[in-house]
Amino acid sequence: SQKIEQNSEALNIQEGKTATLTCNYTNYSPAYLQWYRQDPGRGPVFLLLIRENEKEKRKERLKVTFDTTLKQSLFHITASQPADSATYLCALDNSGTYKYIFGTGTRLKVLA
Amino acid sequence: ETGVTQSPTHLIKTRGQQVTLRCSSQSGHNTVSWYQQALGQGPQFIFQYYREEENGRGNFPPRFSGLQFPNYSSELNVNALELDDSALYLCASSSDDREETQYFGPGTRLLVL
């Protein structure tokens, strides 16, 4: 069956450390994988997109990797800050359809 | 701010009623997708509209229907509301030249009693 999985448990890290979030998928062939930030009661905010032929993408303190052999994406926030506390969602489109399937999200809490 | 707006922000309905939710896409965006997000879950794809035509549908029953208008605003209609329809409803828009990137509105919180 098709699955997209993120750590359901909250991730607590100390300010200044690097947060690493994982997104694993099964039986999908994504052309694109996206990461979003979502604050409580708000819509998701687009952060980064990575294509199937890209290994890594960076934007300021954010880095995404995409391993289509392992069927996994890692999302890193370096020099984390309490303002980075939120739920982070990964989403993939199946075979370039632009219709995205989301994981359940991982809640990140950065402790001051 | 993404430029995508949704109305109303909150809504309370009772079982069996019908509801219409509205979305105004970002300027220049002719694709809109609707998602349902239950508490503690990720958004689930309901359907997508491109230039006023349905362009794909997720695993939702026919009582979920939609429309997209020439100005690219759109509606989500849900008939015969059930308790499980209580959720945050999100719309997201994208443009022809960057179809892979979608921008979400703030959502409408629907509570069905």
Side-chain angles (χ1 to χ4, degrees):
Chain A
S1 64
Q2 294 177 314
K3 283 192 295 186
I4 175 169
E5 293 178 308
Q6 297 183 252
N7 273 356
S8 56
E9 289 182 19
L11 177 65
N12 292 336
I13 64 162
Q14 211 60 41
E15 183 177 8
K17 300 290 186 187
T18 296
T20 298
L21 285 67
T22 305
C23 177
N24 295 298
Y25 60 92
T26 311
N27 292 327
Y28 285 112
S29 300
Y32 307 99
L33 191 143
Q34 302 180 338
W35 285 87
Y36 290 84
R37 170 189 172 133
Q38 188 173 29
D39 293 289
R42 309 286 295 270
V45 174
F46 171 79
L47 296 175
L48 278 171
L49 174 146
I50 189 163
R51 292 173 171 77
E52 61 179 333
N53 60 351
E54 297 175 322
K55 296 288 185 192
E56 183 179 298
K57 205 78 164 287
R58 291 176 185 259
K59 179 182 173 184
E60 297 171 356
R61 295 186 295 115
L62 309 179
K63 183 176 89 171
V64 171
T65 63
F66 193 12
D67 189 327
T68 54
T69 303
L70 288 180
K71 299 188 185 299
Q72 181 181 77
S73 175
L74 298 178
F75 177 77
H76 307 271
I77 306 175
T78 58
S80 59
Q81 304 164 1
D84 295 326
S85 299
T87 295
Y88 290 86
L89 297 159
C90 72
L92 55 81
D93 89 314
N94 203 22
S95 304
T97 60
Y98 309 124
K99 298 164 185 65
Y100 284 89
I101 302 118
F102 281 79
T104 53
T106 298
R107 196 165 68 234
L108 171 68
K109 188 167 183 181
V110 181
L111 306 167
Chain B
E1 295 297 322
T2 63
V4 180
T5 59
Q6 292 187 243
S7 62
T9 53
H10 296 83
L11 202 51
I12 300 174
K13 291 285 190 179
T14 54
R15 222 169 19 168
Q17 284 189 310
Q18 178 265 342
V19 71
T20 297
L21 310 181
R22 293 179 175 82
C23 171
S24 179
S25 298
Q26 191 170 102
S27 177
H29 286 195
N30 48 28
T31 300
V32 66
S33 301
W34 283 91
Y35 293 84
Q36 179 195 67
Q37 186 175 23
L39 212 56
Q41 301 296 314
Q44 273 199 286
F45 176 76
I46 304 174
F47 44 57
Q48 183 183 86
Y49 279 79
Y50 174 71
R51 295 184 185 270
E52 303 174 59
E53 297 285 330
E54 189 177 291
N55 184 37
R57 189 178 184 92
N59 191 25
F60 280 80
R63 58 191 186 83
F64 285 78
S65 63
L67 279 174
Q68 188 183 29
F69 300 100
N71 65 357
Y72 303 131
S73 64
S74 67
E75 286 181 356
L76 164 66
N77 298 290
V78 187
N79 292 323
L81 283 166
E82 300 177 359
L83 297 180
D84 284 350
D85 295 334
S86 296
L88 182 67
Y89 287 86
L90 297 159
C91 73
S93 71
S94 58
S95 63
D96 272 351
D97 59 347
R98 288 201 68 190
E99 289 174 274
E100 70 277 11
T101 303
Q102 53 183 356
Y103 297 92
F104 281 86
T108 294
R109 173 74 63 188
L110 173 66
L111 178 61
V112 183
L113 302 174

XYZ file of all heavy atoms in Angstrom, chain A residues 11-90:
654
model
N 9.425 16.589 18.320
C 10.876 16.674 18.413
C 11.227 17.930 19.208
O 10.866 19.044 18.799
C 11.471 16.747 17.001
C 12.981 16.920 16.895
C 13.684 15.703 17.467
C 13.385 17.122 15.433
N 11.901 17.729 20.345
C 12.344 18.861 21.158
C 13.852 18.997 21.019
O 14.580 18.015 21.197
C 12.017 18.628 22.644
C 10.526 18.642 22.900
O 9.761 19.232 22.157
N 10.119 17.975 23.951
N 14.310 20.213 20.670
C 15.748 20.424 20.591
C 16.105 21.754 21.233
O 15.257 22.634 21.413
C 16.269 20.394 19.141
C 15.680 21.541 18.321
C 15.961 19.084 18.455
C 16.483 21.796 17.074
N 17.373 21.889 21.566
C 17.860 23.098 22.206
C 18.147 24.166 21.149
O 18.613 23.846 20.036
C 19.149 22.747 22.965
C 19.402 23.568 24.212
C 18.313 23.448 25.255
O 17.788 22.367 25.516
N 17.964 24.574 25.858
N 17.867 25.389 21.494
C 18.172 26.518 20.605
C 19.622 26.467 20.141
O 20.534 26.177 20.935
C 17.908 27.835 21.355
C 18.102 29.084 20.530
C 17.748 30.342 21.294
O 17.491 30.258 22.521
O 17.710 31.421 20.669
N 19.820 26.745 18.859
C 21.173 26.756 18.310
C 21.589 25.441 17.677
O 22.521 25.400 16.873
N 20.883 24.358 18.017
C 21.205 23.048 17.440
C 20.539 22.902 16.082
O 19.665 23.681 15.692
C 20.721 21.924 18.366
C 21.337 21.966 19.742
C 22.804 21.591 19.702
C 23.374 21.486 21.104
N 24.825 21.290 21.111
N 20.913 21.835 15.385
C 20.299 21.520 14.093
C 19.162 20.527 14.296
O 19.350 19.476 14.909
C 21.324 20.924 13.124
O 22.318 21.904 12.838
C 20.653 20.488 11.826
N 17.995 20.885 13.781
C 16.843 19.978 13.819
C 16.816 19.185 12.521
O 17.005 19.753 11.443
C 15.555 20.759 13.967
N 16.594 17.886 12.620
C 16.493 17.032 11.432
C 15.177 16.280 11.479
O 14.904 15.542 12.421
C 17.664 16.043 11.359
O 18.884 16.784 11.262
C 17.519 15.141 10.129
N 14.363 16.482 10.459
C 13.068 15.823 10.359
C 13.091 14.868 9.168
O 13.727 15.149 8.153
C 11.949 16.857 10.180
C 11.526 17.684 11.406
C 12.626 18.617 11.858
C 10.257 18.450 11.104
N 12.362 13.768 9.310
C 12.410 12.696 8.319
C 11.061 12.505 7.661
O 10.018 12.606 8.312
C 12.818 11.383 9.014
O 14.045 11.588 9.700
C 12.981 10.255 8.006
N 11.094 12.209 6.372
C 9.887 11.879 5.611
C 10.209 10.647 4.779
O 11.121 10.682 3.952
C 9.509 13.054 4.720
S 8.094 12.774 3.644
N 9.511 9.555 5.040
C 9.691 8.309 4.283
C 8.428 7.996 3.505
O 7.326 8.257 3.987
C 9.990 7.143 5.225
C 11.306 7.316 5.945
O 12.366 7.381 5.342
N 11.246 7.393 7.267
N 8.596 7.437 2.332
C 7.422 7.095 1.542
C 7.565 5.705 0.917
O 8.682 5.194 0.761
C 7.151 8.142 0.468
C 8.263 8.335 -0.534
C 8.296 7.622 -1.723
C 9.285 9.262 -0.289
C 9.308 7.808 -2.645
C 10.299 9.448 -1.202
C 10.308 8.725 -2.376
O 11.322 8.910 -3.285
N 6.422 5.107 0.625
C 6.374 3.752 0.076
C 5.404 3.725 -1.091
O 4.294 4.266 -0.998
C 5.852 2.755 1.156
O 6.566 2.969 2.366
C 6.004 1.334 0.707
N 5.840 3.108 -2.188
C 4.980 2.893 -3.358
C 4.471 4.178 -4.010
O 3.342 4.234 -4.509
C 3.789 1.979 -3.005
C 4.235 0.574 -2.708
O 5.206 0.084 -3.299
N 3.584 -0.096 -1.775
N 5.302 5.221 -3.958
C 5.056 6.427 -4.732
C 6.273 6.667 -5.614
O 7.376 6.208 -5.304
C 4.879 7.647 -3.808
C 3.558 7.718 -3.092
C 3.501 7.555 -1.712
C 2.382 7.978 -3.784
C 2.294 7.640 -1.043
C 1.174 8.053 -3.119
C 1.143 7.886 -1.748
O -0.045 7.963 -1.083
N 6.059 7.381 -6.689
C 7.161 7.803 -7.559
C 7.078 9.316 -7.720
O 6.647 9.833 -8.750
C 7.036 7.130 -8.937
O 7.077 5.738 -8.800
N 7.467 10.045 -6.678
C 7.280 11.498 -6.719
C 8.228 12.182 -7.688
O 9.415 11.866 -7.737
C 7.556 11.932 -5.280
C 8.424 10.859 -4.719
C 8.057 9.605 -5.422
N 7.682 13.113 -8.438
C 8.514 13.988 -9.258
C 8.990 15.170 -8.407
O 10.037 15.758 -8.680
C 7.736 14.484 -10.459
N 8.205 15.514 -7.387
C 8.520 16.641 -6.516
C 8.219 16.256 -5.067
O 7.275 15.516 -4.804
C 7.658 17.865 -6.859
C 7.702 18.277 -8.301
C 6.689 17.907 -9.174
C 8.761 19.024 -8.794
C 6.723 18.279 -10.499
C 8.802 19.402 -10.118
C 7.789 19.027 -10.971
O 7.826 19.394 -12.275
N 8.980 16.829 -4.177
C 8.706 16.673 -2.759
C 8.822 18.060 -2.147
O 9.766 18.794 -2.438
C 9.682 15.674 -2.122
C 9.326 15.228 -0.705
C 9.659 13.754 -0.511
C 9.977 16.085 0.334
N 7.861 18.397 -1.313
C 7.828 19.728 -0.723
C 7.849 19.630 0.797
O 7.404 18.635 1.367
C 6.542 20.450 -1.119
C 6.327 20.597 -2.599
C 5.035 21.333 -2.911
O 4.124 21.390 -2.095
N 4.948 21.916 -4.090
N 8.317 20.683 1.405
C 8.229 20.839 2.855
C 7.489 22.134 3.168
O 7.706 23.172 2.522
C 9.612 20.850 3.497
C 10.211 19.481 3.560
C 10.952 18.856 2.610
C 10.100 18.559 4.649
N 11.323 17.591 3.030
C 10.811 17.394 4.281
C 9.483 18.594 5.905
C 10.911 16.274 5.119
C 9.588 17.500 6.733
C 10.299 16.355 6.341
N 6.606 22.021 4.159
C 5.791 23.149 4.602
C 5.935 23.314 6.105
O 6.156 22.344 6.825
C 4.301 22.890 4.330
C 3.898 22.902 2.882
C 4.042 21.764 2.100
C 3.342 24.034 2.301
C 3.661 21.768 0.767
C 2.945 24.046 0.971
C 3.111 22.896 0.214
O 2.722 22.904 -1.102
N 5.699 24.533 6.530
C 5.572 24.834 7.957
C 4.110 25.156 8.224
O 3.471 25.875 7.438
C 6.440 26.035 8.308
C 6.199 26.568 9.714
C 6.903 27.859 9.970
N 6.467 28.377 11.267
C 7.284 28.836 12.193
N 8.599 28.877 11.973
N 6.816 29.287 13.337
N 3.580 24.651 9.341
C 2.212 24.978 9.713
C 2.143 25.342 11.191
O 2.567 24.571 12.043
C 1.246 23.824 9.409
C -0.219 24.216 9.608
C -1.185 23.152 9.144
O -0.881 21.964 9.152
N -2.379 23.570 8.727
N 1.600 26.507 11.464
C 1.351 26.930 12.834
C -0.088 26.590 13.194
O -0.949 26.472 12.303
C 1.621 28.433 12.972
C 3.094 28.751 12.799
O 3.856 28.400 13.713
O 3.488 29.291 11.755
N -0.389 26.446 14.484
C -1.732 25.997 14.893
C -2.840 26.870 14.314
O -2.780 28.098 14.399
C -1.671 26.094 16.417
C -0.228 25.917 16.747
C 0.521 26.580 15.628
N -3.840 26.235 13.705
C -4.995 26.943 13.170
C -4.730 27.744 11.909
O -5.600 28.482 11.452
N -3.544 27.589 11.317
C -3.194 28.353 10.113
C -2.967 27.398 8.946
O -2.783 26.191 9.122
C -1.901 29.151 10.354
C -1.881 29.985 11.605
C -2.726 31.227 11.508
N -2.253 32.162 10.528
C -1.378 33.139 10.775
N -0.881 33.286 11.978
N -1.033 33.969 9.828
N -2.970 27.956 7.726
C -2.669 27.141 6.563
C -1.172 26.859 6.462
O -0.358 27.608 7.001
N -0.797 25.780 5.786
C 0.624 25.475 5.597
C 1.319 26.571 4.791
O 0.729 27.140 3.872
C 0.605 24.151 4.824
C -0.745 23.568 5.075
C -1.661 24.741 5.217
N 2.567 26.823 5.132
C 3.385 27.804 4.412
C 4.485 27.052 3.680
O 5.255 26.305 4.301
C 3.986 28.841 5.386
C 4.949 29.766 4.650
C 2.880 29.647 6.054
N 4.559 27.248 2.368
C 5.549 26.571 1.540
C 6.958 27.015 1.929
O 7.234 28.209 2.091
C 5.282 26.907 0.070
C 6.350 26.444 -0.869
C 6.409 25.123 -1.257
C 7.303 27.319 -1.350
C 7.403 24.685 -2.120
C 8.288 26.900 -2.211
C 8.340 25.580 -2.604
N 7.845 26.025 2.090
C 9.240 26.325 2.446
C 10.192 25.993 1.303
O 10.930 26.842 0.825
C 9.639 25.542 3.697
C 8.890 25.893 4.986
C 9.293 24.954 6.106
C 9.123 27.340 5.382
N 10.197 24.730 0.902
C 11.170 24.278 -0.101
C 10.553 23.185 -0.950
O 9.746 22.387 -0.466
C 12.418 23.699 0.570
C 13.500 24.659 1.052
C 14.535 23.919 1.884
C 14.174 25.337 -0.131
N 10.991 23.132 -2.192
C 10.624 22.054 -3.098
C 11.910 21.440 -3.641
O 12.866 22.156 -3.949
C 9.780 22.602 -4.247
C 9.411 21.641 -5.367
C 8.025 21.971 -5.910
C 10.419 21.697 -6.519
N 11.914 20.120 -3.770
C 13.066 19.442 -4.355
C 12.546 18.480 -5.414
O 11.515 17.823 -5.222
C 13.916 18.738 -3.271
C 15.222 18.218 -3.869
C 13.143 17.649 -2.543
C 16.277 17.877 -2.820
N 13.226 18.433 -6.539
C 12.801 17.584 -7.658
C 13.472 16.225 -7.560
O 14.510 16.064 -6.920
C 13.159 18.262 -8.980
C 12.357 19.514 -9.241
C 12.828 20.262 -10.471
N 11.917 21.336 -10.826
C 11.846 22.514 -10.206
N 12.636 22.759 -9.197
N 10.975 23.425 -10.590
N 12.921 15.260 -8.265
C 13.414 13.872 -8.162
C 14.861 13.731 -8.619
O 15.554 12.826 -8.190
C 12.513 12.938 -8.970
C 12.451 13.247 -10.445
C 11.568 12.278 -11.213
O 11.414 11.125 -10.779
O 11.017 12.690 -12.255
N 15.317 14.636 -9.485
C 16.690 14.536 -9.980
C 17.660 15.410 -9.175
O 18.816 15.563 -9.552
C 16.751 14.912 -11.459
C 16.283 16.324 -11.716
O 15.748 16.975 -10.824
N 16.476 16.800 -12.927
N 17.178 15.980 -8.071
C 18.029 16.793 -7.206
C 18.320 16.031 -5.914
O 17.452 15.349 -5.381
C 17.339 18.134 -6.882
C 17.106 18.996 -8.106
C 16.317 20.259 -7.799
O 15.384 20.189 -6.960
O 16.622 21.306 -8.405
N 19.535 16.182 -5.423
C 19.913 15.494 -4.184
C 19.722 16.380 -2.967
O 19.446 15.912 -1.868
C 21.379 15.068 -4.248
C 21.676 14.067 -5.327
C 21.108 12.708 -4.981
C 21.506 11.676 -6.006
N 20.752 10.439 -5.857
N 19.932 17.687 -3.166
C 19.941 18.603 -2.030
C 19.499 19.988 -2.488
O 19.765 20.397 -3.623
C 21.374 18.682 -1.481
C 21.566 19.532 -0.267
C 23.006 19.515 0.205
O 23.508 18.438 0.573
O 23.626 20.603 0.204
N 18.801 20.677 -1.590
C 18.390 22.056 -1.850
C 18.561 22.847 -0.554
O 18.271 22.328 0.529
C 16.893 22.043 -2.236
C 16.415 23.201 -3.084
C 16.815 23.005 -4.505
C 16.090 23.884 -5.498
N 14.714 23.502 -5.721
N 19.012 24.087 -0.702
C 19.211 24.926 0.494
C 18.503 26.261 0.329
O 18.386 26.791 -0.776
C 20.691 25.193 0.704
C 21.506 24.004 1.107
C 22.977 24.360 1.196
N 23.793 23.181 1.466
C 24.282 22.863 2.664
N 24.044 23.637 3.692
N 24.996 21.782 2.820
N 18.070 26.780 1.469
C 17.508 28.125 1.492
C 17.755 28.684 2.892
O 17.156 28.227 3.860
C 16.005 28.087 1.200
C 15.333 29.443 1.230
C 13.847 29.279 0.980
C 13.098 30.581 1.176
N 11.644 30.405 1.036
N 18.666 29.613 2.958
C 19.037 30.232 4.241
C 19.408 29.138 5.243
O 20.343 28.372 5.002
C 17.892 31.130 4.722
C 17.633 32.285 3.759
C 16.387 33.075 4.070
O 15.642 32.703 4.998
O 16.138 34.072 3.369
N 18.694 29.002 6.358
C 19.058 27.991 7.373
C 18.427 26.628 7.098
O 18.583 25.695 7.890
C 18.617 28.488 8.759
C 19.343 29.735 9.240
C 18.946 30.086 10.678
N 17.543 30.463 10.793
C 16.636 29.767 11.464
N 16.953 28.647 12.071
N 15.378 30.200 11.531
N 17.729 26.493 5.994
C 17.021 25.257 5.689
C 17.780 24.438 4.646
O 18.359 25.000 3.716
C 15.613 25.563 5.156
C 14.750 26.505 5.989
C 13.399 26.709 5.299
C 14.568 25.984 7.391
N 17.745 23.125 4.815
C 18.331 22.236 3.821
C 17.441 21.016 3.686
O 16.967 20.467 4.692
C 19.726 21.784 4.238
C 20.415 20.917 3.186
C 21.838 20.557 3.586
C 21.882 19.286 4.387
N 23.274 18.796 4.610
N 17.179 20.612 2.458
C 16.398 19.410 2.185
C 17.248 18.466 1.357
O 17.922 18.895 0.418
C 15.109 19.754 1.406
C 14.420 18.480 0.944
C 14.171 20.567 2.252
N 17.208 17.185 1.694
C 17.815 16.162 0.852
C 16.727 15.205 0.380
O 15.674 15.073 1.021
C 18.908 15.390 1.598
O 18.308 14.699 2.706
C 19.992 16.324 2.091
N 17.007 14.561 -0.742
C 16.008 13.684 -1.358
C 16.752 12.468 -1.894
O 17.606 12.599 -2.770
C 15.310 14.445 -2.489
C 14.059 13.810 -3.036
C 13.431 12.749 -2.415
C 13.484 14.320 -4.192
C 12.272 12.197 -2.926
C 12.309 13.781 -4.718
C 11.707 12.720 -4.084
N 16.446 11.307 -1.354
C 17.088 10.072 -1.783
C 15.995 9.153 -2.331
O 15.240 8.546 -1.566
C 17.810 9.422 -0.598
C 18.674 8.246 -1.017
O 18.304 7.523 -1.983
O 19.719 8.025 -0.384
N 15.913 9.063 -3.663
C 14.837 8.268 -4.272
C 15.100 6.769 -4.164
O 14.168 5.976 -4.326
C 14.648 8.654 -5.751
O 15.888 8.537 -6.428
C 14.118 10.064 -5.882
N 16.350 6.408 -3.855
C 16.649 4.973 -3.641
C 16.151 4.544 -2.264
O 15.485 3.520 -2.124
C 18.157 4.715 -3.760
O 18.599 5.166 -5.038
C 18.471 3.237 -3.583
N 16.449 5.353 -1.266
C 15.957 5.080 0.094
C 14.495 5.461 0.265
O 13.872 5.101 1.265
C 16.780 5.862 1.116
C 18.209 5.408 1.373
C 18.868 6.314 2.414
C 18.237 3.952 1.861
N 13.961 6.233 -0.687
C 12.601 6.768 -0.599
C 12.445 7.594 0.673
O 11.552 7.367 1.507
C 11.563 5.649 -0.675
C 11.621 4.874 -1.992
C 10.469 3.911 -2.140
C 10.598 3.060 -3.380
N 10.607 3.868 -4.623
N 13.347 8.570 0.780
C 13.384 9.362 1.998
C 13.825 10.795 1.690
O 14.681 11.035 0.837
C 14.382 8.732 2.974
C 14.514 9.441 4.297
C 15.550 8.761 5.190
O 16.758 8.915 5.010
N 15.059 8.015 6.157
N 13.241 11.724 2.433
C 13.704 13.102 2.418
C 14.013 13.517 3.849
O 13.282 13.148 4.782
C 12.635 14.032 1.830
O 13.036 15.387 1.922
N 15.106 14.258 3.993
C 15.460 14.818 5.293
C 15.379 16.334 5.200
O 15.778 16.925 4.191
C 16.875 14.399 5.702
C 17.115 12.911 5.871
C 18.579 12.647 6.239
C 16.208 12.319 6.941
N 14.864 16.936 6.263
C 14.707 18.388 6.333
C 15.492 18.868 7.544
O 15.272 18.384 8.658
C 13.217 18.715 6.477
C 12.895 20.171 6.633
C 12.923 21.024 5.541
C 12.536 20.686 7.867
C 12.610 22.373 5.686
C 12.224 22.018 8.023
C 12.261 22.869 6.931
N 16.428 19.788 7.307
C 17.297 20.270 8.377
C 17.069 21.763 8.591
O 16.974 22.530 7.611
C 18.770 20.073 8.007
C 19.125 18.674 7.604
N 19.526 17.712 8.513
C 19.138 18.088 6.388
C 19.786 16.591 7.866
N 19.561 16.775 6.578
N 17.016 22.144 9.848
C 17.030 23.565 10.214
C 18.274 23.770 11.061
O 18.384 23.211 12.171
C 15.784 23.983 11.039
C 14.498 23.593 10.316
C 15.815 25.478 11.324
C 13.236 23.869 11.130
N 19.209 24.550 10.563
C 20.426 24.801 11.332
C 20.231 26.036 12.214
O 19.360 26.872 11.953
C 21.623 25.022 10.401
O 21.316 26.127 9.523
C 21.916 23.802 9.554
N 21.045 26.104 13.260
C 20.981 27.239 14.201
C 19.534 27.527 14.581
O 19.041 28.658 14.448
C 21.643 28.470 13.603
N 18.848 26.490 15.064
C 17.409 26.608 15.319
C 17.098 27.663 16.380
O 17.903 27.929 17.278
C 16.834 25.262 15.725
O 17.487 24.801 16.879
N 15.924 28.241 16.241
C 15.454 29.313 17.125
C 14.071 28.944 17.648
O 13.331 28.214 16.980
C 15.367 30.620 16.340
C 16.650 31.041 15.658
C 16.424 32.100 14.594
O 15.297 32.547 14.363
N 17.501 32.505 13.945
N 13.694 29.479 18.812
C 12.340 29.197 19.319
C 11.252 29.539 18.303
O 10.220 28.869 18.258
C 12.254 30.080 20.567
C 13.668 30.163 21.061
C 14.513 30.201 19.808
N 11.479 30.551 17.457
C 10.488 30.926 16.426
C 10.318 29.850 15.361
O 9.351 29.893 14.580
C 10.901 32.242 15.765
N 11.221 28.878 15.311
C 11.091 27.760 14.364
C 10.115 26.704 14.869
O 9.787 25.755 14.154
C 12.456 27.091 14.123
C 13.447 28.018 13.449
O 13.024 28.855 12.623
O 14.656 27.904 13.758
N 9.649 26.849 16.095
C 8.705 25.878 16.663
C 7.408 25.900 15.872
O 6.770 26.944 15.732
C 8.431 26.199 18.139
O 9.624 26.130 18.896
N 7.029 24.743 15.350
C 5.842 24.617 14.491
C 5.723 23.150 14.102
O 6.568 22.323 14.470
C 5.980 25.465 13.230
N 4.684 22.832 13.327
C 4.583 21.509 12.709
C 5.111 21.603 11.284
O 4.806 22.559 10.564
C 3.122 21.021 12.704
O 2.695 20.834 14.053
C 2.984 19.701 11.953
N 5.916 20.633 10.909
C 6.494 20.615 9.561
C 5.928 19.424 8.796
O 5.955 18.288 9.271
C 8.027 20.561 9.643
C 8.585 21.866 10.162
C 8.693 22.091 11.532
C 8.945 22.888 9.292
C 9.169 23.300 12.022
C 9.426 24.101 9.773
C 9.522 24.294 11.139
O 9.990 25.507 11.621
N 5.404 19.730 7.628
C 4.737 18.730 6.788
C 5.571 18.462 5.546
O 6.086 19.401 4.938
C 3.373 19.256 6.329
C 2.321 19.544 7.391
C 1.284 20.500 6.853
C 1.648 18.253 7.832
N 5.682 17.198 5.173
C 6.223 16.913 3.852
C 5.067 16.504 2.950
O 4.039 15.998 3.414
C 7.312 15.850 3.884
S 6.760 14.178 4.205
